[in-house]
Amino acid sequence: MNCASCPHKDCYDGKDCLDSKEEITKLYTEQDINLLKTSTSIESRYYMEKTRLEEIILFSEMMNYEKIGMAFCLGLEEESRIIHSIFKKHFKVYSVCCKVCGIDKSDFDLEKIEKNRKESMCNPIGQAWFLNKKKTDLNIIIGLCMGHDLLFTEHSHAPVTTLVVKDRILAHNPLGAVYSKYYRNKLLL
């Protein structure tokens, strides 16, 4: 199975390439189906009309979410402040930055960017812990580092979506490496 290389995508028209439709259909819980119904209705009603930020607001309102959590990177502090003020027009919002608790990297023998100074580690488990205590309905990742996003998602009790993926080189647009002929050629060599 290698869907990325398939030239036809007959599944779009209902073909079951895995011959597993019945087995997989049974995996969906009532909660999963509710999420699907909400996200599908947004897709069908607002296709190519709403930004991701607007879709998160619509989704959360349709799901009757009241408390939104934001786990953000300090490098995106200004953007997070703006996003927070947008969300707070609709929801109770809790935000927590990546350096929460100020745990020194040396406490876990972590590599430092600058070896001769104290440096706090990113704390994705601490971010999840804080938002779990607030009993958020949905948590949003804003630029957490690769790997830190995995830990945050794993430890979050609420569903998690990503608004911003960190990419310091490409202005937080990771697909820029695919769209740029230069980067694409560099990565394919």
Side-chain angles (χ1 to χ4, degrees):
M1 188 75 186
N2 192 351
C3 295
S5 299
C6 174
H8 307 292
K9 307 295 185 287
D10 292 332
C11 55
Y12 186 83
D13 294 318
K15 182 179 179 187
D16 181 6
C17 300
L18 294 174
D19 196 28
S20 302
K21 186 184 299 186
E22 287 182 37
E23 182 180 350
I24 291 172
T25 302
K26 292 175 185 173
L27 297 176
Y28 284 88
T29 66
E30 188 176 328
Q31 182 179 353
D32 296 332
I33 294 168
N34 193 29
L35 287 171
L36 277 173
K37 285 181 179 180
T38 303
S39 59
T40 303
S41 68
I42 290 170
E43 177 191 28
S44 65
R45 294 176 198 172
Y46 304 104
Y47 191 75
M48 300 287 290
E49 293 178 17
K50 301 290 183 186
T51 65
R52 178 67 174 215
L53 189 59
E54 292 170 307
E55 287 181 345
I56 290 171
I57 292 167
L58 283 167
F59 180 85
S60 298
E61 288 174 342
M62 291 173 75
M63 292 295 294
N64 296 314
Y65 291 163
E66 296 177 4
K67 295 189 274 184
I68 302 296
M70 292 174 37
F72 71 94
C73 169
L74 272 181
L76 291 160
E77 178 181 11
E78 183 178 340
E79 295 86 345
S80 296
R81 189 177 301 115
I82 294 167
I83 294 164
H84 184 276
S85 40
I86 292 168
F87 284 147
K88 79 176 185 180
K89 294 170 91 178
H90 305 270
F91 313 101
K92 176 76 177 160
V93 183
Y94 299 95
S95 60
V96 58
C97 78
C98 58
K99 302 297 185 181
V100 65
C101 300
I103 301 170
D104 194 286
K105 283 185 174 181
S106 62
D107 290 355
F108 290 107
D109 196 28
L110 301 175
E111 193 171 321
K112 294 182 179 183
I113 296 169
E114 295 182 34
K115 298 186 184 348
N116 296 326
R117 73 173 190 89
K118 183 178 171 131
E119 192 175 317
S120 293
M121 68 175 220
C122 293
N123 186 3
I125 294 176
Q127 288 175 295
W129 176 87
F130 171 78
L131 295 175
N132 290 342
K133 292 196 86 54
K134 296 299 179 185
K135 297 185 187 316
T136 51
D137 298 307
L138 176 70
N139 290 329
I140 300 163
I141 291 176
I142 300 171
L144 297 186
C145 292
M146 177 62 226
H148 300 160
D149 55 353
L150 300 175
L151 285 169
F152 175 80
T153 301
E154 181 180 350
H155 290 269
S156 173
H157 294 170
V160 176
T161 192
T162 300
L163 178 58
V164 181
V165 175
K166 178 180 280 172
D167 190 322
R168 293 176 184 98
I169 303 301
L170 296 171
H172 309 299
N173 175 20
L175 277 176
V178 175
Y179 297 143
S180 162
K181 184 176 179 182
Y182 168 77
Y183 263 103
R184 188 172 55 240
N185 289 339
K186 179 181 171 182
L187 294 169
L188 288 171
L189 292 178

